[in-house]
mmCIF file of all heavy atoms in Angstrom:
data_model
loop_
_atom_site.group_PDB
_atom_site.id
_atom_site.type_symbol
_atom_site.label_atom_id
_atom_site.label_comp_id
_atom_site.label_asym_id
_atom_site.label_seq_id
_atom_site.Cartn_x
_atom_site.Cartn_y
_atom_site.Cartn_z
ATOM 1 N N GLY A 17 0.776 -1.200 -0.051
ATOM 2 C CA GLY A 17 -0.009 -0.010 -0.006
ATOM 3 C C GLY A 17 0.824 1.271 0.009
ATOM 4 O O GLY A 17 0.309 2.365 -0.064
ATOM 5 N N SER A 18 2.170 1.081 0.153
ATOM 6 C CA SER A 18 3.037 2.316 0.056
ATOM 7 C C SER A 18 4.295 1.832 -0.575
ATOM 8 O O SER A 18 4.612 0.656 -0.726
ATOM 9 C CB SER A 18 3.273 2.883 1.463
ATOM 10 O OG SER A 18 4.029 1.998 2.309
ATOM 11 N N ILE A 19 5.105 2.831 -1.067
ATOM 12 C CA ILE A 19 6.351 2.593 -1.738
ATOM 13 C C ILE A 19 7.314 3.714 -1.440
ATOM 14 O O ILE A 19 6.877 4.748 -1.021
ATOM 15 C CB ILE A 19 6.074 2.404 -3.254
ATOM 16 C CG1 ILE A 19 7.218 1.675 -3.968
ATOM 17 C CG2 ILE A 19 5.757 3.734 -3.914
ATOM 18 C CD1 ILE A 19 6.848 1.228 -5.390
ATOM 19 N N GLU A 20 8.566 3.465 -1.654
ATOM 20 C CA GLU A 20 9.589 4.431 -1.281
ATOM 21 C C GLU A 20 9.897 5.478 -2.241
ATOM 22 O O GLU A 20 10.911 6.256 -2.065
ATOM 23 C CB GLU A 20 10.885 3.613 -0.969
ATOM 24 C CG GLU A 20 11.751 4.152 0.149
ATOM 25 C CD GLU A 20 12.824 3.115 0.545
ATOM 26 O OE1 GLU A 20 13.058 2.155 -0.064
ATOM 27 O OE2 GLU A 20 13.519 3.523 1.530
ATOM 28 N N ALA A 21 9.054 5.638 -3.232
ATOM 29 C CA ALA A 21 9.456 6.519 -4.390
ATOM 30 C C ALA A 21 9.639 7.958 -3.904
ATOM 31 O O ALA A 21 10.366 8.766 -4.507
ATOM 32 C CB ALA A 21 8.441 6.430 -5.464
ATOM 33 N N ASP A 22 8.818 8.404 -2.974
ATOM 34 C CA ASP A 22 9.030 9.842 -2.418
ATOM 35 C C ASP A 22 10.401 10.117 -1.998
ATOM 36 O O ASP A 22 10.882 11.318 -1.978
ATOM 37 C CB ASP A 22 7.990 10.086 -1.346
ATOM 38 C CG ASP A 22 6.539 10.334 -1.871
ATOM 39 O OD1 ASP A 22 6.434 10.492 -3.073
ATOM 40 O OD2 ASP A 22 5.636 10.241 -1.090
ATOM 41 N N TYR A 23 11.098 9.120 -1.501
ATOM 42 C CA TYR A 23 12.443 9.280 -0.925
ATOM 43 C C TYR A 23 13.585 8.878 -1.892
ATOM 44 O O TYR A 23 14.747 8.960 -1.548
ATOM 45 C CB TYR A 23 12.545 8.526 0.373
ATOM 46 C CG TYR A 23 11.595 9.077 1.424
ATOM 47 C CD1 TYR A 23 10.347 8.514 1.582
ATOM 48 C CD2 TYR A 23 11.937 10.169 2.195
ATOM 49 C CE1 TYR A 23 9.510 9.041 2.517
ATOM 50 C CE2 TYR A 23 11.128 10.730 3.108
ATOM 51 C CZ TYR A 23 9.840 10.178 3.200
ATOM 52 O OH TYR A 23 8.993 10.670 4.194
ATOM 53 N N LEU A 24 13.177 8.378 -3.084
ATOM 54 C CA LEU A 24 14.124 8.093 -4.093
ATOM 55 C C LEU A 24 14.029 9.005 -5.241
ATOM 56 O O LEU A 24 14.634 10.011 -5.315
ATOM 57 C CB LEU A 24 13.963 6.594 -4.519
ATOM 58 C CG LEU A 24 14.148 5.566 -3.410
ATOM 59 C CD1 LEU A 24 13.898 4.123 -3.875
ATOM 60 C CD2 LEU A 24 15.503 5.638 -2.720
ATOM 61 N N ASN A 25 13.036 8.676 -6.191
ATOM 62 C CA ASN A 25 12.763 9.687 -7.263
ATOM 63 C C ASN A 25 12.398 11.077 -6.678
ATOM 64 O O ASN A 25 12.712 12.087 -7.238
ATOM 65 C CB ASN A 25 11.683 9.151 -8.167
ATOM 66 C CG ASN A 25 12.005 7.734 -8.613
ATOM 67 O OD1 ASN A 25 11.547 6.778 -7.992
ATOM 68 N ND2 ASN A 25 12.830 7.523 -9.629
ATOM 69 N N GLY A 26 11.586 11.006 -5.573
ATOM 70 C CA GLY A 26 11.103 12.290 -5.006
ATOM 71 C C GLY A 26 12.231 13.126 -4.425
ATOM 72 O O GLY A 26 12.047 14.331 -4.354
ATOM 73 N N GLU A 27 13.228 12.526 -4.041
ATOM 74 C CA GLU A 27 14.515 13.287 -3.550
ATOM 75 C C GLU A 27 15.072 14.173 -4.708
ATOM 76 O O GLU A 27 15.438 15.293 -4.514
ATOM 77 C CB GLU A 27 15.547 12.361 -2.992
ATOM 78 C CG GLU A 27 16.647 13.061 -2.251
ATOM 79 C CD GLU A 27 16.188 13.705 -0.931
ATOM 80 O OE1 GLU A 27 15.318 13.139 -0.290
ATOM 81 O OE2 GLU A 27 16.729 14.833 -0.612
ATOM 82 N N ILE A 28 15.097 13.528 -5.902
ATOM 83 C CA ILE A 28 15.650 14.268 -6.984
ATOM 84 C C ILE A 28 14.607 15.361 -7.378
ATOM 85 O O ILE A 28 15.056 16.522 -7.713
ATOM 86 C CB ILE A 28 15.894 13.334 -8.185
ATOM 87 C CG1 ILE A 28 16.937 12.291 -7.812
ATOM 88 C CG2 ILE A 28 16.269 14.098 -9.476
ATOM 89 C CD1 ILE A 28 18.306 12.884 -7.405
ATOM 90 N N VAL A 29 13.455 15.104 -7.293
ATOM 91 C CA VAL A 29 12.358 16.109 -7.676
ATOM 92 C C VAL A 29 12.516 17.275 -6.632
ATOM 93 O O VAL A 29 12.426 18.432 -7.058
ATOM 94 C CB VAL A 29 10.981 15.505 -7.594
ATOM 95 C CG1 VAL A 29 9.918 16.579 -7.774
ATOM 96 C CG2 VAL A 29 10.804 14.492 -8.813
ATOM 97 N N LEU A 30 12.613 16.992 -5.392
ATOM 98 C CA LEU A 30 12.754 17.900 -4.332
ATOM 99 C C LEU A 30 13.927 18.907 -4.582
ATOM 100 O O LEU A 30 13.905 20.106 -4.570
ATOM 101 C CB LEU A 30 12.830 17.322 -2.954
ATOM 102 C CG LEU A 30 13.143 18.241 -1.783
ATOM 103 C CD1 LEU A 30 12.086 19.269 -1.624
ATOM 104 C CD2 LEU A 30 13.342 17.451 -0.498
ATOM 105 N N LEU A 31 15.154 18.245 -4.847
ATOM 106 C CA LEU A 31 16.348 19.035 -5.124
ATOM 107 C C LEU A 31 16.157 19.937 -6.323
ATOM 108 O O LEU A 31 16.633 21.029 -6.364
ATOM 109 C CB LEU A 31 17.543 18.028 -5.234
ATOM 110 C CG LEU A 31 18.061 17.424 -4.010
ATOM 111 C CD1 LEU A 31 19.054 16.315 -4.351
ATOM 112 C CD2 LEU A 31 18.767 18.470 -3.095
ATOM 113 N N ALA A 32 15.586 19.348 -7.382
ATOM 114 C CA ALA A 32 15.389 20.097 -8.610
ATOM 115 C C ALA A 32 14.524 21.297 -8.376
ATOM 116 O O ALA A 32 14.829 22.421 -8.899
ATOM 117 C CB ALA A 32 14.810 19.199 -9.660
ATOM 118 N N ARG A 33 13.473 21.126 -7.645
ATOM 119 C CA ARG A 33 12.595 22.292 -7.376
ATOM 120 C C ARG A 33 13.275 23.322 -6.561
ATOM 121 O O ARG A 33 13.049 24.547 -6.683
ATOM 122 C CB ARG A 33 11.365 21.803 -6.729
ATOM 123 C CG ARG A 33 10.416 20.995 -7.669
ATOM 124 C CD ARG A 33 9.268 20.377 -6.980
ATOM 125 N NE ARG A 33 8.385 19.662 -7.889
ATOM 126 C CZ ARG A 33 7.421 18.805 -7.586
ATOM 127 N NH1 ARG A 33 7.253 18.495 -6.314
ATOM 128 N NH2 ARG A 33 6.695 18.257 -8.522
ATOM 129 N N ARG A 34 14.168 22.915 -5.612
ATOM 130 C CA ARG A 34 14.902 23.873 -4.765
ATOM 131 C C ARG A 34 15.760 24.789 -5.521
ATOM 132 O O ARG A 34 16.003 25.852 -5.202
ATOM 133 C CB ARG A 34 15.646 23.096 -3.678
ATOM 134 C CG ARG A 34 14.829 22.644 -2.499
ATOM 135 C CD ARG A 34 15.687 21.865 -1.501
ATOM 136 N NE ARG A 34 14.926 21.444 -0.331
ATOM 137 C CZ ARG A 34 15.356 20.604 0.482
ATOM 138 N NH1 ARG A 34 16.532 19.976 0.334
ATOM 139 N NH2 ARG A 34 14.704 20.308 1.626
ATOM 140 N N ILE A 35 16.382 24.133 -6.558
ATOM 141 C CA ILE A 35 17.361 24.974 -7.310
ATOM 142 C C ILE A 35 16.872 25.504 -8.661
ATOM 143 O O ILE A 35 17.523 26.100 -9.396
ATOM 144 C CB ILE A 35 18.649 24.151 -7.557
ATOM 145 C CG1 ILE A 35 18.384 22.930 -8.357
ATOM 146 C CG2 ILE A 35 19.319 23.797 -6.235
ATOM 147 C CD1 ILE A 35 19.630 22.091 -8.711
ATOM 148 N N GLY A 36 15.575 25.198 -8.915
ATOM 149 C CA GLY A 36 14.872 25.778 -10.115
ATOM 150 C C GLY A 36 15.262 25.049 -11.418
ATOM 151 O O GLY A 36 15.336 25.731 -12.483
ATOM 152 N N VAL A 37 15.451 23.720 -11.368
ATOM 153 C CA VAL A 37 15.623 22.966 -12.595
ATOM 154 C C VAL A 37 14.541 21.958 -12.702
ATOM 155 O O VAL A 37 13.818 21.736 -11.777
ATOM 156 C CB VAL A 37 17.049 22.368 -12.693
ATOM 157 C CG1 VAL A 37 18.121 23.445 -12.650
ATOM 158 C CG2 VAL A 37 17.184 21.324 -11.536
ATOM 159 N N GLY A 38 14.389 21.324 -13.844
ATOM 160 C CA GLY A 38 13.413 20.294 -14.118
ATOM 161 C C GLY A 38 13.873 18.874 -13.751
ATOM 162 O O GLY A 38 15.083 18.595 -13.888
ATOM 163 N N ALA A 39 12.980 18.035 -13.462
ATOM 164 C CA ALA A 39 13.230 16.633 -13.242
ATOM 165 C C ALA A 39 12.031 15.807 -13.678
ATOM 166 O O ALA A 39 11.475 15.064 -12.894
ATOM 167 C CB ALA A 39 13.617 16.350 -11.760
ATOM 168 N N PRO A 40 11.628 15.940 -14.993
ATOM 169 C CA PRO A 40 10.373 15.353 -15.477
ATOM 170 C C PRO A 40 10.391 13.860 -15.349
ATOM 171 O O PRO A 40 9.349 13.164 -15.058
ATOM 172 C CB PRO A 40 10.262 15.845 -16.848
ATOM 173 C CG PRO A 40 11.647 16.192 -17.268
ATOM 174 C CD PRO A 40 12.312 16.760 -15.992
ATOM 175 N N VAL A 41 11.527 13.201 -15.634
ATOM 176 C CA VAL A 41 11.429 11.697 -15.599
ATOM 177 C C VAL A 41 11.239 11.212 -14.194
ATOM 178 O O VAL A 41 10.387 10.320 -13.963
ATOM 179 C CB VAL A 41 12.900 11.193 -16.101
ATOM 180 C CG1 VAL A 41 12.948 9.613 -16.032
ATOM 181 C CG2 VAL A 41 13.151 11.621 -17.489
ATOM 182 N N ASN A 42 11.920 11.704 -13.195
ATOM 183 C CA ASN A 42 11.738 11.234 -11.830
ATOM 184 C C ASN A 42 10.448 11.712 -11.228
ATOM 185 O O ASN A 42 9.809 11.015 -10.421
ATOM 186 C CB ASN A 42 12.884 11.712 -10.991
ATOM 187 C CG ASN A 42 14.125 10.944 -11.252
ATOM 188 O OD1 ASN A 42 14.289 9.745 -10.710
ATOM 189 N ND2 ASN A 42 15.065 11.466 -11.967
ATOM 190 N N GLU A 43 9.909 12.858 -11.738
ATOM 191 C CA GLU A 43 8.606 13.307 -11.331
ATOM 192 C C GLU A 43 7.528 12.272 -11.748
ATOM 193 O O GLU A 43 6.570 11.899 -10.963
ATOM 194 C CB GLU A 43 8.272 14.672 -11.959
ATOM 195 C CG GLU A 43 6.968 15.232 -11.523
ATOM 196 C CD GLU A 43 6.735 16.586 -12.131
ATOM 197 O OE1 GLU A 43 7.732 17.330 -12.344
ATOM 198 O OE2 GLU A 43 5.544 16.879 -12.400
ATOM 199 N N VAL A 44 7.541 11.809 -13.017
ATOM 200 C CA VAL A 44 6.582 10.890 -13.493
ATOM 201 C C VAL A 44 6.715 9.480 -12.727
ATOM 202 O O VAL A 44 5.762 8.870 -12.318
ATOM 203 C CB VAL A 44 6.748 10.586 -14.975
ATOM 204 C CG1 VAL A 44 5.878 9.471 -15.472
ATOM 205 C CG2 VAL A 44 6.324 11.883 -15.788
ATOM 206 N N LEU A 45 7.982 9.054 -12.523
ATOM 207 C CA LEU A 45 8.214 7.808 -11.829
ATOM 208 C C LEU A 45 7.740 7.853 -10.391
ATOM 209 O O LEU A 45 7.115 6.891 -9.927
ATOM 210 C CB LEU A 45 9.720 7.432 -11.812
ATOM 211 C CG LEU A 45 10.289 7.104 -13.190
ATOM 212 C CD1 LEU A 45 11.777 6.901 -13.090
ATOM 213 C CD2 LEU A 45 9.567 5.857 -13.842
ATOM 214 N N GLN A 46 7.932 8.933 -9.723
ATOM 215 C CA GLN A 46 7.426 9.163 -8.351
ATOM 216 C C GLN A 46 5.867 9.078 -8.334
ATOM 217 O O GLN A 46 5.334 8.325 -7.502
ATOM 218 C CB GLN A 46 7.856 10.480 -7.822
ATOM 219 C CG GLN A 46 7.349 10.785 -6.433
ATOM 220 C CD GLN A 46 7.652 12.201 -5.958
ATOM 221 O OE1 GLN A 46 8.113 13.099 -6.776
ATOM 222 N NE2 GLN A 46 7.442 12.472 -4.701
ATOM 223 N N ARG A 47 5.292 9.765 -9.272
ATOM 224 C CA ARG A 47 3.812 9.793 -9.273
ATOM 225 C C ARG A 47 3.210 8.493 -9.585
ATOM 226 O O ARG A 47 2.293 8.016 -8.923
ATOM 227 C CB ARG A 47 3.306 10.889 -10.293
ATOM 228 C CG ARG A 47 1.794 11.054 -10.413
ATOM 229 C CD ARG A 47 1.467 11.858 -11.636
ATOM 230 N NE ARG A 47 1.715 11.067 -12.900
ATOM 231 C CZ ARG A 47 2.117 11.618 -14.115
ATOM 232 N NH1 ARG A 47 2.259 12.877 -14.196
ATOM 233 N NH2 ARG A 47 2.286 10.824 -15.145
ATOM 234 N N GLU A 48 3.783 7.842 -10.635
ATOM 235 C CA GLU A 48 3.204 6.535 -11.036
ATOM 236 C C GLU A 48 3.417 5.411 -10.059
ATOM 237 O O GLU A 48 2.573 4.549 -9.877
ATOM 238 C CB GLU A 48 3.646 6.155 -12.436
ATOM 239 C CG GLU A 48 3.209 7.091 -13.499
ATOM 240 C CD GLU A 48 1.693 7.092 -13.594
ATOM 241 O OE1 GLU A 48 1.090 6.067 -13.729
ATOM 242 O OE2 GLU A 48 1.155 8.262 -13.512
ATOM 243 N N ALA A 49 4.642 5.388 -9.440
ATOM 244 C CA ALA A 49 4.965 4.392 -8.415
ATOM 245 C C ALA A 49 3.982 4.525 -7.234
ATOM 246 O O ALA A 49 3.499 3.539 -6.696
ATOM 247 C CB ALA A 49 6.405 4.485 -7.953
ATOM 248 N N ASN A 50 3.709 5.753 -6.843
ATOM 249 C CA ASN A 50 2.790 5.960 -5.739
ATOM 250 C C ASN A 50 1.385 5.542 -6.102
ATOM 251 O O ASN A 50 0.615 4.936 -5.308
ATOM 252 C CB ASN A 50 2.844 7.403 -5.221
ATOM 253 C CG ASN A 50 3.960 7.715 -4.342
ATOM 254 O OD1 ASN A 50 4.281 6.985 -3.461
ATOM 255 N ND2 ASN A 50 4.672 8.826 -4.538
ATOM 256 N N ARG A 51 1.034 5.858 -7.306
ATOM 257 C CA ARG A 51 -0.357 5.442 -7.786
ATOM 258 C C ARG A 51 -0.484 3.950 -7.775
ATOM 259 O O ARG A 51 -1.466 3.433 -7.307
ATOM 260 C CB ARG A 51 -0.576 6.000 -9.171
ATOM 261 C CG ARG A 51 -1.866 5.628 -9.779
ATOM 262 C CD ARG A 51 -2.218 6.294 -11.127
ATOM 263 N NE ARG A 51 -1.381 5.772 -12.159
ATOM 264 C CZ ARG A 51 -1.608 4.671 -12.805
ATOM 265 N NH1 ARG A 51 -2.720 3.984 -12.577
ATOM 266 N NH2 ARG A 51 -0.834 4.235 -13.787
ATOM 267 N N PHE A 52 0.545 3.284 -8.246
ATOM 268 C CA PHE A 52 0.509 1.738 -8.301
ATOM 269 C C PHE A 52 0.444 1.230 -6.830
ATOM 270 O O PHE A 52 -0.261 0.256 -6.581
ATOM 271 C CB PHE A 52 1.744 1.187 -9.000
ATOM 272 C CG PHE A 52 1.472 0.746 -10.361
ATOM 273 C CD1 PHE A 52 0.833 1.621 -11.275
ATOM 274 C CD2 PHE A 52 1.808 -0.517 -10.781
ATOM 275 C CE1 PHE A 52 0.592 1.194 -12.601
ATOM 276 C CE2 PHE A 52 1.571 -0.935 -12.081
ATOM 277 C CZ PHE A 52 1.008 -0.097 -13.001
ATOM 278 N N ALA A 53 1.212 1.798 -5.924
ATOM 279 C CA ALA A 53 1.162 1.359 -4.532
ATOM 280 C C ALA A 53 -0.163 1.496 -3.870
ATOM 281 O O ALA A 53 -0.671 0.611 -3.270
ATOM 282 C CB ALA A 53 2.311 1.992 -3.733
ATOM 283 N N ARG A 54 -0.723 2.693 -4.037
ATOM 284 C CA ARG A 54 -2.039 2.986 -3.444
ATOM 285 C C ARG A 54 -3.099 2.062 -4.003
ATOM 286 O O ARG A 54 -4.042 1.575 -3.259
ATOM 287 C CB ARG A 54 -2.469 4.444 -3.723
ATOM 288 C CG ARG A 54 -1.664 5.454 -2.901
ATOM 289 C CD ARG A 54 -2.289 6.796 -2.970
ATOM 290 N NE ARG A 54 -2.466 7.272 -4.282
ATOM 291 C CZ ARG A 54 -1.506 8.011 -4.893
ATOM 292 N NH1 ARG A 54 -0.366 8.380 -4.263
ATOM 293 N NH2 ARG A 54 -1.671 8.495 -6.135
ATOM 294 N N GLY A 55 -3.094 1.761 -5.298
ATOM 295 C CA GLY A 55 -4.045 0.948 -5.951
ATOM 296 C C GLY A 55 -3.718 -0.485 -5.848
ATOM 297 O O GLY A 55 -4.495 -1.386 -6.275
ATOM 298 N N LYS A 56 -2.649 -0.866 -5.181
ATOM 299 C CA LYS A 56 -2.181 -2.247 -4.950
ATOM 300 C C LYS A 56 -2.126 -2.975 -6.273
ATOM 301 O O LYS A 56 -2.581 -4.186 -6.434
ATOM 302 C CB LYS A 56 -3.025 -2.953 -3.982
ATOM 303 C CG LYS A 56 -2.926 -2.320 -2.582
ATOM 304 C CD LYS A 56 -3.547 -3.137 -1.443
ATOM 305 C CE LYS A 56 -3.283 -2.525 -0.144
ATOM 306 N NZ LYS A 56 -3.868 -3.263 1.009
ATOM 307 N N HIS A 57 -1.553 -2.338 -7.309
ATOM 308 C CA HIS A 57 -1.364 -2.947 -8.644
ATOM 309 C C HIS A 57 -0.224 -3.923 -8.566
ATOM 310 O O HIS A 57 0.761 -3.698 -7.865
ATOM 311 C CB HIS A 57 -1.188 -1.980 -9.732
ATOM 312 C CG HIS A 57 -2.303 -1.014 -9.913
ATOM 313 N ND1 HIS A 57 -3.486 -1.397 -10.484
ATOM 314 C CD2 HIS A 57 -2.397 0.313 -9.609
ATOM 315 C CE1 HIS A 57 -4.331 -0.317 -10.488
ATOM 316 N NE2 HIS A 57 -3.734 0.704 -10.002
ATOM 317 N N ALA A 58 -0.239 -4.923 -9.407
ATOM 318 C CA ALA A 58 0.821 -5.956 -9.441
ATOM 319 C C ALA A 58 2.102 -5.368 -10.021
ATOM 320 O O ALA A 58 1.976 -4.480 -10.903
ATOM 321 C CB ALA A 58 0.410 -7.134 -10.233
ATOM 322 N N PRO A 59 3.277 -5.730 -9.544
ATOM 323 C CA PRO A 59 4.501 -5.211 -10.101
ATOM 324 C C PRO A 59 4.659 -5.616 -11.558
ATOM 325 O O PRO A 59 4.243 -6.758 -11.909
ATOM 326 C CB PRO A 59 5.580 -5.810 -9.213
ATOM 327 C CG PRO A 59 4.977 -7.028 -8.613
ATOM 328 C CD PRO A 59 3.508 -6.723 -8.437
#
């Protein structure tokens, strides 16, 4: 029901936002991994 993406891909997203650069790949991975975990989709 949860996954570690906020602290992996999300760490890169956080750093990117702090310094004003983009991190679209990791942003999508963070979002989709969390969606899969909440929905309990199969790996």
Side-chain angles (χ1 to χ4, degrees):
S18 66
I19 199 166
E20 212 169 6
D22 284 345
Y23 296 93
L24 302 178
N25 310 94
E27 189 69 35
I28 297 301
V29 172
L30 173 63
L31 284 169
R33 289 171 178 168
R34 281 177 175 168
I35 61 177
V37 300
V41 178
N42 284 282
E43 184 180 326
V44 170
L45 292 175
Q46 177 189 13
R47 182 191 71 210
E48 293 302 305
N50 279 316
R51 181 175 68 84
F52 258 53
R54 288 192 301 269
K56 298 191 175 181
H57 298 292

